[in-house]
Amino acid sequence: MKVCRRATFNAAHRLNREDWSGEKNVDVFGKCSNPNYHGHNYVLEVWLEGQIDPETGYVIDLKIIKDLIKEEISERFDHRNLNLDCKEFENLNPTAENIALVSWRLLRARLDEKYKLTIKLWETENNVVECDGE
Amino acid sequence: MKVCRRATFNAAHRLNREDWSGEKNVDVFGKCSNPNYHGHNYVLEVWLEGQIDPETGYVIDLKIIKDLIKEEISERFDHRNLNLDCKEFENLNPTAENIALVSWRLLRARLDEKYKLTIKLWETENNVVECDGE
Amino acid sequence: MKVCRRATFNAAHRLNREDWSGEKNVDVFGKCSNPNYHGHNYVLEVWLEGQIDPETGYVIDLKIIKDLIKEEISERFDHRNLNLDCKEFENLNPTAENIALVSWRLLRARLDEKYKLTIKLWETENNVVECDGE
Amino acid sequence: MKVCRRATFNAAHRLNREDWSGEKNVDVFGKCSNPNYHGHNYVLEVWLEGQIDPETGYVIDLKIIKDLIKEEISERFDHRNLNLDCKEFENLNPTAENIALVSWRLLRARLDEKYKLTIKLWETENNVVECDGE
Amino acid sequence: MKVCRRATFNAAHRLNREDWSGEKNVDVFGKCSNPNYHGHNYVLEVWLEGQIDPETGYVIDLKIIKDLIKEEISERFDHRNLNLDCKEFENLNPTAENIALVSWRLLRARLDEKYKLTIKLWETENNVVECDGE
Amino acid sequence: MKVCRRATFNAAHRLNREDWSGEKNVDVFGKCSNPNYHGHNYVLEVWLEGQIDPETGYVIDLKIIKDLIKEEISERFDHRNLNLDCKEFENLNPTAENIALVSWRLLRARLDEKYKLTIKLWETENNVVECDGE
């Protein structure tokens, strides 16, 4: 049995490697490397797999996940510049893949290990990633 | 190959254990335990995994699933109070998890065992569960 | 210029007139009159028409509308039984039309009269109503 | 008869007045004034009202609107920082209202005056604005 | 007060004038004039404006509109080729505008004149039209 | 880690076997066998599973998938009649299952074998299929 809580956050980012030339960054990352950043409404789905607790009928109270997303994800990333404001991306390109991986690690550290955790992240309505571990 | 049919039903419910005090019910289930019920537009996805029949090009005619959902799910749960009207939840808390599990059992009993069955159920646009067995 | 804030609430209701026979209620309201209630995830859009304030670039700060919806609508209707818990529907059938009208009145009373107010309410993904006054 | 073309663009912005103190900006714009910007997936609907051309059955070929949106809106705002990269917002706060108004002006200047133009702009799934003139 | 019922139908069509050369058809209608047709999942919204009936709380029972859409629209257009199967488009190009206009006329003829009727029709997720009369 | 690119295409089709009688075709395929075709807005999700490239932070640049979908899927199927225009379905019923399988083969042939490929295809908002191999 899996349960999911969905949330959104809005952030600016750019894709860029300091150790590459501007030319190479444009070659690889195109307009995503524009120097002054652009942004997205990220949509996050947090999925937990586990057993139904026969007492409550819950795998987990989704309010716990809602609060955890607020604490670990929204307060960190919402209305932020991922490159400039978030130490998690100081040396890590904030691609959708890496944002999902970082989110997975942040939530994994806060969850009982009996739950299997999967993160799904929409960067746009056409681009999605899914991460279920490292 | 997997195929899916989506359907919706509208029902009232509350989360509550008769053998718990009102206080404990509020502690655990919050406003979901409000005594006079609340309700949801449930969205159900019924997924079947199987082989394509080379004669028809179908895994299964989705009209069969559509009719099965109507018979087993909609006629039972749609425009009902899950706690008061549905014997399936007489002694079972109608959490999204349990509604998905009950739906899985009801449909599993009507399907050829060659199909693997998975149920996905949205309780709200932010809360989802998925059940692929017991 | 119009601006809109969207919100959701989950409630139980039934359509029924006490002064009609059960038969007539079923004739007119069908399964919506089931005695033990059913429910919906209502989706509310609150639209305000006004001038852009040249100082802020806002017609109105949508956070004000977000808070107003919480105070006047969600705290009143969310996780409630509209028929039993809400005095607004003591003598008023909680059809989508009437819920929209009641919401319009509640919000109208709290808004500067310089704004034109329109309410859009989804009862299901297929049924919507819109109210811009009485 | 009205026709509409929908498109999306992704941009960074912040809400801020240079002539206000940082404190006042936070008071009025909250986290939307964060200094390093945040961003959105903007969804734009461009609506034209006019007569059906009896020869083609079109009010206007929507491919014309698609190309116009690309030229006037996407190439200007997509993957940009509205505050830093777009001269339209040099002295104008890039609120959803102002982005819609600027888009309206840009498209209005390119369209035959026989069409009535309305712009609908989603900043998030919960915040929308609509502009049909100045 | 306005009320709306939403429905879908799936149809094939092409845009083409018999009295034009193939070249001119391609010039004007592009790939929409491909000789062997293509198709769409059309999404229809039927909006009625009227007074709330104080007895029922309905502007109109939306089940009446649901049935009317089935009779007048779905049975006529669903799983059809609009050009070949539907006499309404024998001499009329089945553009979204014309499908909306034909639908408006079909439904208008069946509705009490006390209701104002508006039709909204999605041809794709990016192309929409709206018709509120001739 | 999985990444996904979403795209749409609009096509006509019918379900029918030449070697069956018209009666049998109607028995099995219902209105989907209507002789003059009908159509759909197909929504395609292309999912790739692989490792994050530590240099770019990408599993794969989704622009590559976007271009591949255009080349292999849209140019082949968009605004086409699957039965008449596409040699892939000359002897294969264009069910959603078979369209997904054909798309899987076309894309599989163009992708590095280090990626696991899954195709998800919506035929309507209620009918979906998923294919992850043969």
Side-chain angles (χ1 to χ4, degrees):
Chain A
M1 180 75 62
K2 294 177 200 163
V3 299
C4 163
R5 178 76 192 176
R6 179 183 171 278
T8 64
F9 60 93
N10 313 315
H13 81 151
R14 70 182 291 214
L15 303 184
N16 191 62
R17 286 187 66 108
E18 294 290 321
D19 57 336
W20 286 0
S21 68
E23 234 171 41
K24 183 161 181 195
N25 273 307
V26 170
D27 268 7
V28 174
F29 296 120
K31 59 187 180 178
C32 293
S33 71
N34 281 354
N36 287 325
Y37 312 96
H38 60 283
H40 297 291
N41 300 337
Y42 291 94
V43 181
L44 181 79
E45 282 186 10
V46 176
W47 285 87
L48 266 66
E49 188 172 342
Q51 301 292 320
I52 298 184
D53 176 339
E55 222 188 358
T56 58
Y58 282 154
V59 167
I60 191 170
D61 184 350
L62 283 176
K63 195 176 172 313
I64 295 171
I65 305 303
K66 181 187 176 186
D67 293 344
L68 206 53
I69 294 173
K70 187 162 182 290
E71 253 178 76
E72 292 293 340
I73 309 295
S74 308
E75 285 179 8
R76 208 179 292 257
F77 299 150
D78 187 37
H79 281 72
R80 301 287 176 199
N81 183 308
L82 300 177
N83 304 68
L84 299 181
D85 297 331
C86 301
K87 66 178 190 309
E88 291 80 7
F89 299 106
E90 246 173 31
N91 299 299
L92 188 67
N93 225 355
T95 57
E97 287 92 328
N98 279 334
I99 302 170
L101 181 58
V102 164
S103 301
W104 187 90
R105 282 176 186 149
L106 288 165
L107 295 171
R108 179 70 281 175
R110 297 288 305 278
L111 287 165
D112 191 315
E113 58 183 26
K114 74 181 172 185
Y115 298 115
K116 183 174 180 302
L117 172 66
T118 304
I119 296 291
K120 202 169 172 180
L121 183 77
W122 277 258
E123 190 175 71
T124 69
E125 64 188 21
N126 293 327
N127 290 0
V128 202
V129 303
E130 193 180 301
C131 169
D132 64 1
E134 330 205 26
Chain B
M1 180 75 62
K2 295 177 199 162
V3 298
C4 163
R5 179 74 192 176
R6 180 183 171 278
T8 64
F9 60 94
N10 313 316
H13 82 151
R14 70 182 291 216
L15 302 185
N16 191 60
R17 286 187 65 109
E18 294 291 321
D19 56 337
W20 286 359
S21 69
E23 233 170 41
K24 184 165 181 191
N25 273 306
V26 170
D27 268 6
V28 174
F29 297 119
K31 58 187 180 179
C32 293
S33 70
N34 280 354
N36 287 326
Y37 312 96
H38 60 283
H40 296 291
N41 301 337
Y42 291 94
V43 180
L44 181 78
E45 282 186 9
V46 176
W47 285 87
L48 265 66
E49 188 173 342
Q51 302 293 318
I52 297 183
D53 176 339
E55 223 188 357
T56 58
Y58 282 152
V59 168
I60 192 171
D61 183 351
L62 283 176
K63 197 179 171 311
I64 295 171
I65 306 302
K66 180 187 177 186
D67 293 344
L68 206 53
I69 294 173
K70 186 162 184 289
E71 255 178 74
E72 292 294 340
I73 309 294
S74 308
E75 285 179 8
R76 207 177 295 254
F77 300 149
D78 186 39
H79 281 72
R80 302 286 177 199
N81 183 309
L82 299 178
N83 304 68
L84 299 180
D85 296 332
C86 301
K87 67 178 190 309
E88 291 81 7
F89 299 105
E90 246 174 33
N91 299 299
L92 188 67
N93 225 356
T95 57
E97 289 92 327
N98 278 334
I99 302 170
L101 181 58
V102 164
S103 301
W104 187 89
R105 283 178 186 147
L106 287 165
L107 295 171
R108 180 70 279 175
R110 297 287 305 276
L111 287 165
D112 191 315
E113 57 183 25
K114 74 182 171 184
Y115 299 114
K116 183 173 181 304
L117 172 66
T118 304
I119 296 291
K120 202 168 172 181
L121 183 76
W122 278 258
E123 190 175 71
T124 68
E125 64 188 21
N126 292 327
N127 291 0
V128 201
V129 304
E130 193 179 302
C131 170
D132 64 1
E134 331 205 25
Chain C
M1 179 76 62
K2 295 178 200 161
V3 298
C4 163
R5 179 75 192 176
R6 180 183 172 277
T8 64
F9 60 94
N10 313 315
H13 81 152
R14 70 180 293 214
L15 302 185
N16 191 61
R17 286 186 66 109
E18 293 292 321
D19 56 335
W20 286 358
S21 70
E23 234 171 41
K24 182 160 182 196
N25 273 306
V26 170
D27 268 6
V28 174
F29 297 120
K31 60 187 178 178
C32 293
S33 70
N34 281 355
N36 287 326
Y37 313 95
H38 61 283
H40 297 291
N41 300 339
Y42 291 94
V43 180
L44 180 78
E45 281 185 10
V46 176
W47 285 87
L48 265 66
E49 188 173 342
Q51 301 292 319
I52 298 184
D53 176 339
E55 222 188 357
T56 58
Y58 281 155
V59 167
I60 192 170
D61 183 351
L62 283 175
K63 196 178 172 311
I64 295 171
I65 306 303
K66 181 187 176 187
D67 293 344
L68 206 53
I69 294 173
K70 187 161 182 290
E71 256 178 74
E72 292 293 340
I73 309 296
S74 308
E75 284 179 10
R76 209 178 292 257
F77 300 150
D78 187 37
H79 281 72
R80 302 286 177 199
N81 183 309
L82 299 177
N83 304 68
L84 298 180
D85 296 331
C86 301
K87 66 179 190 308
E88 291 80 8
F89 299 106
E90 247 174 30
N91 298 300
L92 188 67
N93 225 355
T95 57
E97 287 93 328
N98 279 333
I99 301 170
L101 181 58
V102 164
S103 301
W104 187 89
R105 283 176 186 150
L106 288 166
L107 295 171
R108 179 70 281 177
R110 298 287 305 278
L111 287 166
D112 191 315
E113 58 183 25
K114 74 181 172 184
Y115 298 115
K116 185 174 181 302
L117 172 66
T118 304
I119 296 292
K120 203 169 171 180
L121 183 77
W122 277 258
E123 190 174 71
T124 69
E125 64 188 21
N126 292 328
N127 290 359
V128 202
V129 304
E130 192 180 301
C131 169
D132 64 1
E134 333 203 24
Chain D
M1 179 75 62
K2 295 177 200 164
V3 299
C4 164
R5 179 75 193 177
R6 178 184 172 277
T8 63
F9 61 92
N10 313 316
H13 81 151
R14 70 180 293 215
L15 303 184
N16 190 62
R17 286 186 67 108
E18 293 292 321
D19 56 336
W20 287 0
S21 69
E23 235 170 40
K24 185 164 181 193
N25 273 306
V26 170
D27 267 8
V28 173
F29 297 120
K31 59 187 180 180
C32 292
S33 69
N34 280 355
N36 287 325
Y37 313 96
H38 61 282
H40 297 290
N41 300 337
Y42 291 94
V43 180
L44 181 78
E45 281 185 10
V46 176
W47 285 87
L48 266 66
E49 188 173 342
Q51 301 293 320
I52 298 184
D53 176 340
E55 221 187 0
T56 58
Y58 282 153
V59 167
I60 191 171
D61 184 351
L62 282 175
K63 197 178 171 312
I64 295 171
I65 305 302
K66 181 186 177 188
D67 293 344
L68 205 53
I69 294 173
K70 186 161 183 289
E71 255 178 75
E72 292 293 341
I73 309 295
S74 309
E75 284 179 8
R76 207 178 294 254
F77 300 150
D78 186 38
H79 281 72
R80 300 286 177 199
N81 183 309
L82 299 178
N83 304 68
L84 298 181
D85 296 332
C86 302
K87 66 178 190 309
E88 292 79 8
F89 299 105
E90 248 173 30
N91 299 299
L92 188 67
N93 226 355
T95 57
E97 288 93 328
N98 278 333
I99 302 171
L101 181 59
V102 164
S103 301
W104 187 89
R105 282 177 186 148
L106 288 166
L107 295 171
R108 179 70 281 177
R110 297 287 305 276
L111 287 165
D112 191 316
E113 58 183 24
K114 74 181 172 185
Y115 298 115
K116 183 174 180 304
L117 172 67
T118 303
I119 296 291
K120 203 168 172 182
L121 183 77
W122 277 257
E123 190 175 71
T124 69
E125 65 188 20
N126 292 327
N127 290 0
V128 202
V129 303
E130 193 179 301
C131 170
D132 65 1
E134 332 203 26
Chain E
M1 179 75 63
K2 296 178 199 162
V3 299
C4 163
R5 178 75 192 175
R6 179 183 171 276
T8 64
F9 61 92
N10 313 316
H13 81 151
R14 70 181 292 215
L15 302 185
N16 191 60
R17 286 187 66 109
E18 294 291 321
D19 56 336
W20 287 358
S21 68
E23 235 171 39
K24 182 162 183 195
N25 273 307
V26 170
D27 268 6
V28 173
F29 296 120
K31 59 187 179 179
C32 293
S33 70
N34 281 354
N36 287 326
Y37 312 96
H38 60 283
H40 297 291
N41 300 338
Y42 291 94
V43 180
L44 181 78
E45 282 186 10
V46 176
W47 285 87
L48 266 66
E49 189 174 341
Q51 301 293 318
I52 297 183
D53 176 339
E55 222 187 359
T56 58
Y58 282 154
V59 167
I60 192 170
D61 184 351
L62 282 175
K63 198 179 170 311
I64 295 172
I65 306 301
K66 181 186 176 187
D67 293 344
L68 205 54
I69 294 173
K70 187 162 183 289
E71 254 178 76
E72 291 294 341
I73 308 294
S74 308
E75 284 178 10
R76 207 178 294 255
F77 299 150
D78 187 37
H79 281 73
R80 301 286 176 200
N81 183 309
L82 299 178
N83 305 68
L84 299 180
D85 297 331
C86 302
K87 68 179 188 311
E88 290 80 8
F89 299 105
E90 247 174 32
N91 299 301
L92 187 67
N93 225 356
T95 57
E97 287 93 328
N98 279 333
I99 302 170
L101 181 58
V102 164
S103 300
W104 187 90
R105 282 178 186 147
L106 288 165
L107 295 171
R108 180 70 279 177
R110 297 289 305 276
L111 287 165
D112 191 315
E113 57 183 27
K114 74 181 171 183
Y115 298 115
K116 183 174 181 303
L117 172 66
T118 304
I119 296 291
K120 203 168 171 180
L121 183 77
W122 276 259
E123 190 174 71
T124 70
E125 64 188 21
N126 292 327
N127 290 359
V128 201
V129 303
E130 193 180 302
C131 170
D132 64 1
E134 333 203 25
Chain F
M1 179 75 63
K2 295 177 200 162
V3 299
C4 164
R5 178 76 192 175
R6 179 183 172 277
T8 64
F9 60 93
N10 313 315
H13 81 152
R14 71 181 292 213
L15 303 185
N16 190 61
R17 286 187 65 110
E18 294 292 320
D19 56 336
W20 286 359
S21 69
E23 234 170 41
K24 184 162 182 195
N25 273 306
V26 170
D27 268 6
V28 174
F29 297 119
K31 59 187 177 176
C32 293
S33 71
N34 281 355
N36 287 326
Y37 312 96
H38 60 282
H40 297 290
N41 300 338
Y42 291 94
V43 180
L44 181 79
E45 281 186 9
V46 176
W47 285 87
L48 265 66
E49 188 173 342
Q51 302 293 318
I52 298 183
D53 177 339
E55 223 188 358
T56 58
Y58 282 154
V59 168
I60 191 170
D61 183 351
L62 283 175
K63 196 178 171 312
I64 296 171
I65 306 302
K66 181 186 176 186
D67 292 344
L68 206 52
I69 294 173
K70 187 162 182 290
E71 255 179 76
E72 291 293 341
I73 309 295
S74 309
E75 284 178 9
R76 208 179 293 257
F77 299 151
D78 186 39
H79 281 73
R80 302 286 177 200
N81 183 308
L82 299 177
N83 304 68
L84 299 181
D85 296 332
C86 302
K87 67 178 189 311
E88 291 80 8
F89 299 106
E90 247 175 31
N91 298 300
L92 187 67
N93 226 355
T95 57
E97 288 93 328
N98 279 333
I99 301 170
L101 181 58
V102 164
S103 300
W104 187 90
R105 283 176 186 149
L106 287 166
L107 295 171
R108 180 71 280 175
R110 297 289 303 277
L111 286 165
D112 191 315
E113 58 183 25
K114 74 182 171 184
Y115 298 115
K116 183 173 180 304
L117 173 66
T118 304
I119 295 292
K120 202 168 171 180
L121 183 77
W122 277 259
E123 190 174 71
T124 69
E125 65 188 21
N126 292 327
N127 291 359
V128 201
V129 304
E130 193 179 302
C131 169
D132 65 359
E134 332 202 25

